[in-house]
Amino acid sequence: MAAVASLRARRWDYFILTARVLLAGIFFVYGVGKLVGLQFGVTPEILAQPLGQVSLSHLAWYCFDHQPFTAYIGVSQILASLGLLWNRTALLGALLLLPIAVTIFVIDLTYLRQMVAFQYMLPFYIGLLLLILAHYRARMLVVVRALTQGVTTRFAYPWWGYCFLPLAAGLLSLGWMLPMYTVSFLQNSSGTLGYFQRLVTSAAAWLK
């Protein structure tokens, strides 16, 4: 019985290795295809059509064929696929590739509904990724426990500190303005200063 169980485990391990190689090859090819311009984009004839006559698939392919989106997706697929090939990074590669595959599946359901094969192909790939994660479930449980247990703030705060959190979060939400106006000032200092002067004048008039 032990020999039979060992043989089954060995076969299953080989199946998982095969799935890793398959997924790595497929998504690597798709990633490279995006980087070299073989996937997204439409023909000039499609671009000449009125928007109401363009199919969803052509519209999506036109929108996706813009940088840095195309490069981001292509590089992400390549890195995740390469991670699947090495034992040290196989789990990381599967974790990176899973949301990519799910996102592609949702895109296919939304824009490529006429291509029925994709509606079966992507769930199959997603299933293989889930099997890979299940194969390494012992390590996955360690990761889940590390991320969900014993996580708290480094310091304790009084109750009134939590009451101020909405205000603090609101102020923090304005943080993106600092780099934006810094760049604006470097590019056009007089225009930026004039804008703030008008802003202060309007605020003073409103307070009166």
Side-chain angles (χ1 to χ4, degrees):
M1 292 295 295
V4 173
S6 177
L7 180 60
R8 288 178 179 175
R10 188 179 183 87
R11 288 176 176 174
W12 179 251
D13 189 66
Y14 189 78
F15 171 80
I16 294 298
L17 180 60
T18 304
R20 285 167 50 188
V21 173
L22 170 66
L23 293 171
I26 289 173
F27 283 94
F28 181 84
V29 170
Y30 275 109
V32 172
K34 292 177 176 64
L35 294 183
V36 299
L38 296 179
Q39 188 167 7
F40 296 142
V42 295
T43 63
E45 290 75 18
I46 298 296
L47 286 175
Q49 294 180 5
L51 182 61
Q53 298 179 8
V54 179
S55 66
L56 278 177
S57 59
H58 287 142
L59 182 62
W61 250 228
Y62 169 76
C63 292
F64 295 157
D65 190 31
H66 290 79
Q67 299 296 353
F69 179 82
T70 304
Y72 170 76
I73 296 299
V75 171
S76 298
Q77 289 181 335
I78 291 173
L79 292 178
S81 63
L82 291 177
L84 281 174
L85 294 177
W86 281 269
N87 291 329
R88 286 179 177 269
T89 58
L91 189 56
L92 178 61
L95 287 172
L96 291 175
L97 199 54
L98 182 59
I100 295 175
V102 171
T103 302
I104 295 174
F105 177 54
V106 173
I107 290 174
D108 289 347
L109 285 179
T110 305
Y111 298 103
L112 304 177
R113 284 173 291 183
Q114 73 278 13
M115 302 180 69
V116 180
F118 286 115
Q119 300 178 21
Y120 294 90
M121 187 184 304
L122 266 300
F124 177 70
Y125 295 156
I126 293 170
L128 290 180
L129 286 169
L130 293 175
L131 288 177
I132 293 172
L133 295 176
H135 185 65
Y136 299 104
R137 58 186 175 276
R139 292 178 178 268
M140 286 294 300
L141 290 175
V142 173
V143 174
V144 171
R145 291 193 186 101
L147 293 176
T148 58
Q149 295 181 5
V151 178
T152 183
T153 56
R154 293 182 59 188
F155 305 99
Y157 302 96
W159 64 268
W160 52 265
Y162 292 97
C163 294
F164 278 102
L165 279 176
L167 176 61
L171 293 175
L172 182 60
S173 69
L174 303 177
W176 59 272
M177 293 184 177
L178 180 61
M180 183 185 73
Y181 286 118
T182 300
V183 173
S184 176
F185 178 79
L186 294 175
Q187 293 177 342
N188 184 9
S189 58
S190 60
T192 304
L193 291 175
Y195 168 77
F196 279 106
Q197 288 175 354
R198 292 190 297 272
L199 190 64
V200 171
T201 302
S202 299
W206 181 80
L207 290 175
K208 290 180 181 180

